[in-house]
């Protein structure tokens, strides 16, 4: 990183506040780019040129020549490379410590700027790559995979996709009642930026990926799974998004809508996630205009479960699965149903995942029908078993989160 004018001005202001001598800061060519004497900016500092010319190509400082440098001029280096020079005008030889202090301050500030610049560049690269990941894939994903590996993104780690969308709020709740709240465009965008900057505090695991877009006032989050079971994990993220909606409203005067998407386990799962989440969020707003957070993988059943009282959920589970849960085969039968639903009712795949035979599955389905009165082979029975299983999963997730 070269010593540019903006960085030099920051260094100048800092040095003027900690020492009494006029300061001149030069680039590698010896041209003054910041100075306590504004008229000097843009001029060639002959003494600095001579000093910089003593450095060996391509920019290292020979120890012997460094000892012969003027007592009022010092090199500013970054990673042992010359970035420019600094001069303290009228510096007495007895005050050489001031020059050493100025050099140290300048190099520390330059190092900080260099680090920030690299972080921004890295963040921009990751953002661009994630945009491709959740968008339409190129025909040859090889380069995308290489870019992800270079940025340290491990696609083998299961993640659940989320879309967070922010908008303005017209009113704010106060103890005395609602009042009209007016945010101009600048205030609104500032609140959006501040909220999006806080997301890493809530999605803090190492492989959590966050893609924010202030211009669109939204964020895509690829959250490393917090729960082992996909449905329990989805409900955990659902509750987290509801908490974020409260924070957005109370602390930032913003309305947050969010949708929890699918679990992504390989590259193909991420394809077109932004488009799919946007569609599911629109569907959720249409079906439930009074709500802010939605389960995108089951926009009707899932959101019915998420917004139903605990008592009603318990009644449904008791009515459908009461006898099954009291049997000795409860865990085997529930695991069979869970896997069957996850495999989209494919008997062959379900049998493979459970390491059992198709005939064994049919025997289990018959046992489920005997204990519940509902069959997976009829439309009404299948829907009832699925609805009750979602209620059961919701209650189990709530128990896991209980202190």
């Amino acid at each position: 990183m070269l010593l540019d004018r903006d960085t030099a001005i920051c260094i100048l202001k800092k040095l003027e506040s900690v020492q009494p001598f006029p300061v001149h800061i030069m680039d590698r060519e010896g041209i003054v780019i910041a100075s306590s004497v504004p008229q000097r900016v843009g001029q060639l500092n002959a003494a600095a040129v001579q000093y910089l010319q003593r450095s060996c190509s391509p920019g290292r400082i020979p120890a012997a020549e460094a000892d012969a440098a003027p007592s009022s001029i010092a090199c500013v280096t970054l990673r042992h490379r010359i970035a420019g020079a600094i001069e303290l005008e009228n510096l007495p030889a007895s005050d050489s410590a001031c020059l050493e202090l100025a050099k140290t301050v300048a190099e520390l500030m330059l190092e900080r700027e260099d680090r920030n610049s690299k972080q921004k560049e890295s963040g921009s690269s990751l953002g661009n790559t994630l945009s491709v990941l959740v968008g339409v894939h190129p025909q040859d994903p090889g380069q995308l995979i290489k870019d992800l590996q270079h940025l340290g993104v491990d696609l083998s780690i299961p993640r659940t996709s989320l879309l967070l969308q922010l908008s303005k709020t017209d009113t704010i709740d106060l103890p005395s009642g609602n009042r009209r709240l007016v945010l101009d465009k600048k205030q609104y965008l500032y609140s959006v930026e501040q909220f999006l900057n806080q997301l890493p505090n809530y999605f803090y695991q190492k492989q959590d990926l966050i893609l924010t877009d202030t211009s669109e006032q939204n964020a895509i989050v690829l959250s490393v799974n917090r729960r082992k079971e996909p449905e329990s994990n989805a409900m955990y993220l659902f509750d987290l998004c509801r908490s974020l909606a409260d924070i957005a409203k109370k602390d930032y005067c913003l309305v947050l809508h969010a949708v929890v998407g699918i679990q992504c386990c390989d590259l193909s799962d991420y394809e077109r996630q932004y488009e799919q989440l946007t569609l599911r969020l629109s569907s959720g707003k249409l079906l439930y205009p009074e709500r802010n957070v939605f389960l995108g993988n089951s926009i009707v059943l899932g959101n019915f479960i998420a917004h139903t009282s605990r008592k009603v959920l318990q009644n449904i589970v008791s009515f459908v699965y009461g006898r099954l849960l009291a049997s000795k085969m409860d865990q085997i039968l529930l695991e069979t149903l869970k896997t069957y639903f996850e495999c989209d009712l494919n008997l062959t795949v379900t049998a493979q995942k459970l390491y059992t035979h198709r005939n064994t599955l049919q025997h289990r389905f018959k046992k489920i029908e005997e204990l519940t009165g509902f069959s997976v082979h009829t439309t009404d029975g299948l829907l009832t078993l699925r609805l009750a299983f979602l209620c059961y999963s919701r209650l189990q997730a709530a128990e896991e989160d209980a202190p």
Side-chain angles (χ1 to χ4, degrees):
M1 177 178 179
L2 298 177
L3 183 58
D4 59 26
R5 176 173 169 76
D6 291 339
T7 305
I9 290 174
C10 292
I11 294 173
L12 173 68
K13 291 180 179 179
K14 183 65 177 179
L15 292 181
E16 287 179 333
S17 68
V18 297
Q19 57 83 41
F21 303 102
V23 182
H24 310 300
I25 301 176
M26 286 69 65
D27 62 15
R28 287 189 58 178
E29 304 301 321
I31 297 175
V32 179
I33 54 177
S35 174
S36 300
V37 183
Q39 296 83 353
R40 294 284 303 274
V41 176
Q43 295 181 358
L44 196 66
N45 186 320
V49 171
Q50 292 178 4
Y51 173 69
L52 289 168
Q53 286 177 347
R54 293 193 184 102
S55 62
C56 63
S57 180
R60 295 191 177 276
I61 310 173
E65 294 291 344
D67 293 338
S71 60
S72 61
I73 298 179
C75 260
V76 176
T77 63
L78 177 65
R79 295 189 298 276
H80 308 293
R81 306 286 294 184
I82 293 176
I86 187 168
E87 179 181 20
L88 299 184
E89 189 175 334
N90 302 323
L91 178 70
S94 59
D95 285 339
S96 59
C98 287
L99 183 62
E100 188 63 29
L101 173 63
K103 170 183 169 67
T104 302
V105 169
E107 290 178 343
L108 287 173
M109 292 184 68
L110 183 61
E111 182 180 346
R112 183 186 65 186
E113 288 299 315
D114 180 64
R115 183 170 61 252
N116 291 341
S117 176
K118 287 188 174 182
Q119 287 176 347
K120 288 180 180 178
E121 182 179 347
S122 175
S124 176
S125 298
L126 179 59
N128 293 336
T129 305
L130 292 181
S131 295
V132 177
L133 179 66
V134 299
V136 179
H137 284 180
Q139 290 184 350
D140 179 12
Q143 186 59 49
L144 174 60
I145 294 174
K146 289 180 181 178
D147 291 342
L148 290 167
Q149 290 174 341
H150 176 72
L151 294 167
V153 177
D154 185 357
L155 289 181
S156 67
I157 297 176
R159 298 180 181 84
T160 299
S161 61
L162 307 168
L163 173 64
L164 310 178
Q165 180 69 59
L166 297 164
S167 58
K168 285 185 179 181
T169 181
D170 293 326
T171 60
I172 186 171
D173 294 329
L174 296 175
S176 57
N178 290 351
R179 68 166 181 168
R180 191 76 179 173
L181 180 70
V182 179
L183 284 178
D184 62 27
K185 184 176 181 181
K186 186 174 182 180
Q187 291 171 322
Y188 167 61
L189 291 178
Y190 176 78
S191 292
V192 168
E193 183 178 5
Q194 292 301 304
F195 178 84
L196 294 179
N197 287 341
Q198 291 299 313
L199 286 181
N201 293 331
Y202 303 97
F203 300 96
Y204 49 81
Q205 291 197 18
K206 184 178 180 180
Q207 284 286 333
D208 283 342
L209 304 175
I210 303 173
L211 176 61
T212 61
D213 189 342
T214 305
S215 63
E216 294 293 333
Q217 298 96 58
N218 66 23
I220 290 282
V221 180
L222 303 175
S223 169
V224 173
N225 288 358
R226 267 64 172 177
R227 296 289 186 272
K228 183 178 179 181
E229 299 297 336
E231 289 177 344
S232 295
N233 185 67
M235 293 311 307
Y236 170 85
L237 292 174
F238 177 89
D239 291 335
L240 175 58
C241 287
R242 288 209 294 190
S243 298
L244 288 175
D246 290 338
I247 293 170
K249 181 179 180 181
K250 294 176 182 177
D251 297 346
Y252 298 91
C253 300
L254 298 171
V255 175
L256 172 69
H257 284 91
V259 59
V260 181
I262 65 170
Q263 178 176 282
C264 302
C265 298
D266 54 43
L267 187 65
S268 62
D269 293 333
Y270 292 96
E271 187 172 359
R272 302 175 72 89
Q273 270 302 291
Y274 181 78
E275 179 183 335
Q276 293 176 35
L277 288 170
T278 302
L279 178 62
R280 289 167 181 171
L281 182 58
S282 299
S283 301
K285 288 180 179 180
L286 180 64
L287 291 170
Y288 305 97
E290 75 284 2
R291 297 170 185 168
N292 289 71
V293 183
F294 311 100
L295 284 170
N297 60 339
S298 181
I299 204 68
V300 177
L301 285 179
N303 286 293
F304 171 78
I305 300 303
H307 294 284
T308 299
S309 70
R310 182 183 180 86
K311 181 64 176 176
V312 172
L313 297 179
Q314 289 172 334
N315 288 342
I316 293 174
V317 172
S318 178
F319 174 73
V320 178
Y321 289 135
R323 290 179 60 203
L324 186 151
L325 291 171
S327 73
K328 295 180 179 180
M329 295 183 64
D330 60 330
Q331 293 304 311
I332 293 176
L333 298 179
L334 286 173
E335 179 69 16
T336 300
L337 279 174
K338 180 178 80 70
T339 308
Y340 187 53
F341 294 142
E342 288 177 354
C343 296
D344 287 331
L345 315 184
N346 188 310
L347 278 173
T348 301
V349 177
T350 302
Q352 289 174 350
K353 283 200 171 184
L354 292 174
Y355 301 101
T356 189
H357 194 274
R358 286 169 58 101
N359 290 342
T360 304
L361 282 184
Q362 296 295 355
H363 288 307
R364 291 182 184 179
F365 289 152
K366 186 176 181 180
K367 187 65 176 179
I368 289 170
E369 184 176 359
E370 291 175 0
L371 292 172
T372 65
F374 299 99
S375 171
V376 298
H377 302 303
T378 66
T379 301
D380 185 71
L382 183 65
L383 289 176
T384 301
L385 290 168
R386 175 59 176 161
L387 177 64
F389 191 85
L390 287 172
C391 294
Y392 177 78
S393 298
R394 174 58 166 162
L395 292 171
Q396 291 297 107
E399 289 182 7
E400 290 182 8
D401 291 333

